[in-house]
Amino acid sequence: MAAAAAATVVGASLAGCSLVEVAPPEPLSGLAACVLGNTWNLDTAKLAQDMQTELGGRGITATVAADGTQTLDWNLESDVVLTADYTLTITSGAEGDQTVVTDKHSGKSTGIAYINGEVGIPRDWSAKDLKVTTTATKAGAELEALPYTLPRTDIDDSVGVQLTCDGSALTTQQRGSDLVLTWSKK
């Protein structure tokens, strides 16, 4: 008798579950609606120009050239995949005694980046498949140490990322960095 009563109570409580409706997800709005669900291409020519300006602001006279691409795939669930295959070549100094810094980015980094207001908040970032190699030569001879530091261009989860988006263009700027990366919708 007790078993039958327990089965009736369990059956009644489970029947009530079928009446509960799950609300549909809220539609995206604001910056999230502009950014999420898109693949973005980095404007590497602008990155080179901005890197040259940033170095000049530190008194380093150099010419910066970019070759290659980087994409930012940011899906509707806030998952991010950055796929890099670009090189920055920074040349300074007099002919015959030039310093050339080569900054190569290749591979993928992944994580989650939630949008809060105008900031992307990266979490659970993995750059294990991203390889960044920076080397320097002077007058053709390899240098053991870089002659100057380069601003970071890769996203990770150490700081938030300031965002702007107008539908066809996205900018990202890691907090604490002077570089603003410009992306176009793919």
Side-chain angles (χ1 to χ4, degrees), residues 3 6 23-24 28 30 42 48 66 75 84 96 106 119 126-127 152 157 160 163 174-176 181:
L28 294 174
L42 178 62
N75 74 17
S106 61
V119 178
S126 173
R152 292 189 49 225
D157 57 9
L163 305 169
Q174 294 205 105
R175 288 189 170 161
L181 304 182

Side-chain angles (χ1 to χ4, degrees), residues 43-58 60-66 86-91 101 103 105 134 148-154 177-181:
D43 184 341
T44 54
K46 183 163 183 349
L47 172 59
Q49 179 184 26
D50 292 347
M51 181 74 76
Q52 185 169 316
T53 300
E54 195 279 339
L55 291 170
R58 291 191 276 149
I60 302 165
T61 303
T63 302
V64 182
Y86 73 93
T87 301
L88 296 175
T89 304
I90 302 114
T91 306
V101 175
D103 187 42
H105 300 246
T134 308
Y148 44 81
T149 59
L150 297 177
R152 292 189 49 225
T153 57
D154 300 305
S177 173
D178 291 331
L179 286 181
V180 176
L181 304 182

